[in-house]
Amino acid sequence: MATLVENGIVTPTQILGRIDNYGIEWPDTYDADKDVALGRARNRLAGPGKFDDGRG
């Protein structure tokens, strides 16, 4: 996710929009708490200083 943003391929706002519109396709092998993972991703994408260059 960070690499995509750092390379200007997508913005954090676009990623959040895709999550909101399409959800996340979790692999069968992912056994951690999906709600916690999603919350962390949302916080990272929506929080201040999202990425080092400040894009958002």
Side-chain angles (χ1 to χ4, degrees):
M1 174 172 72
T3 301
L4 295 173
V5 173
E6 289 167 4
N7 289 322
I9 296 168
V10 295
T11 67
T13 303
Q14 289 171 317
I15 295 170
L16 284 170
R18 290 177 186 180
I19 291 170
D20 290 341
N21 289 325
Y22 305 107
I24 295 177
E25 187 174 319
W26 300 96
D28 293 335
T29 56
Y30 190 86
D31 59 0
D33 188 323
K34 294 173 183 160
D35 290 330
V36 170
L38 183 57
R40 287 180 180 158
R42 286 183 182 284
N43 288 340
R44 173 78 165 113
L45 290 163
K50 299 169 187 120
F51 293 89
D52 291 341
D53 65 2
R55 280 182 285 179

